[in-house]
Amino acid sequence: SVTPTLDEFVASRRKDKQITTEITEPALASRWWARLGGWYAQRLDRPDYALPSFRRALELDRSNLEAHRGLVDLLRRQSRWAELADAMRGRLDHARRSVPGLEASVPQLHALYDAVAALDTLEVQRVHGDLHLGQTLRTSHGWRIVDFEGEPGRPFEQRSLPDSPWRDVAGMLRSFDYAAAMIEMSWA
């Protein structure tokens, strides 16, 4: 059987009087499209349906974080590096409007995204997925890493997939930066 698109589903339900109102608010419609994309990607393993759903969500609301995350994850899993770099640029464009201090780093980030777009392959393995200083314990036998459940905001199916070890490196570096900033603030 053919899996229906959201528009086909909504149209069929209207005929049955099960859906009586249309979604006219773009942000709400965007959230629905993002959820549909996630459903296609995670539950049905249908990236061919998920990709247009995530893109439609972003057409309606460029700030939809769920759609950005879903699109990036889908493109990464398919090794579609040029499209992944474009999706990351879209996320950066949204972030730079919200975080004025980010503007100075935009050229370097675009250079990194260009490098991602040029990738042929990326080594992946089982990773921690949410590595930061809060996931470490100092014991009498040395340092230990705990909580290997991955990023709590992602579905378990996504957390258990192999990923780039650079995700954990980036998480720990970001955590060191936060720790240094907290020390600096305490001295002020």
Side-chain angles (χ1 to χ4, degrees):
S1 76
V2 175
T3 305
T5 65
L6 181 61
D7 288 335
E8 292 167 338
F9 175 77
V10 169
S12 72
R13 295 302 107 195
R14 271 197 204 115
K15 290 178 194 168
D16 296 338
K17 305 279 189 240
Q18 291 181 6
I19 295 179
T20 58
T21 61
E22 292 185 24
I23 300 174
T24 57
E25 181 185 339
L28 180 60
S30 176
R31 287 195 302 269
W32 278 102
W33 278 105
R35 287 184 186 141
L36 180 66
W39 185 70
Y40 281 142
Q42 297 163 17
R43 308 265 183 201
L44 299 179
D45 194 27
R46 291 301 308 256
D48 54 328
Y49 289 153
L51 193 57
S53 298
F54 288 132
R55 287 191 172 139
R56 179 68 179 136
L58 292 170
E59 287 171 12
L60 293 165
D61 181 6
R62 295 291 302 160
S63 66
N64 185 328
L65 187 57
E66 181 181 355
H68 278 290
R69 284 182 177 158
L71 180 62
V72 165
D73 185 62
L74 180 67
L75 295 173
R76 180 187 52 78
R77 285 190 288 145
Q78 293 184 308
S79 301
R80 294 170 73 168
W81 305 118
E83 291 177 68
L84 174 60
D86 287 341
M88 292 176 356
R89 284 185 189 97
R91 231 172 138 178
L92 175 62
D93 289 342
H94 171 69
R96 68 197 279 194
R97 287 191 296 272
S98 304
V99 184
L102 189 58
E103 198 62 40
S105 301
V106 168
Q108 295 102 325
L109 291 169
H110 277 289
L112 289 171
Y113 298 159
D114 291 342
V116 168
L119 286 175
D120 288 327
T121 62
L122 180 67
E123 296 296 322
V124 294
Q125 65 184 42
R126 180 82 169 113
V127 298
H128 187 283
D130 188 31
L131 191 59
H132 54 81
L133 287 172
Q135 305 287 16
T136 61
L137 292 175
R138 173 93 164 107
T139 70
S140 59
H141 301 286
W143 289 93
R144 301 289 184 251
I145 297 174
V146 298
D147 188 7
F148 285 87
E149 294 176 6
E151 185 182 341
R154 297 175 71 195
F156 180 75
E157 298 84 25
Q158 289 180 7
R159 289 184 273 160
S160 60
L161 292 172
D163 204 342
S164 170
W166 292 108
R167 176 181 295 277
D168 286 342
V169 172
M172 190 56 80
L173 289 174
R174 184 176 58 241
S175 187
F176 284 132
D177 187 54
Y178 289 158
M182 292 306 297
I183 292 170
E184 191 174 292
M185 285 175 48
S186 69
W187 289 345

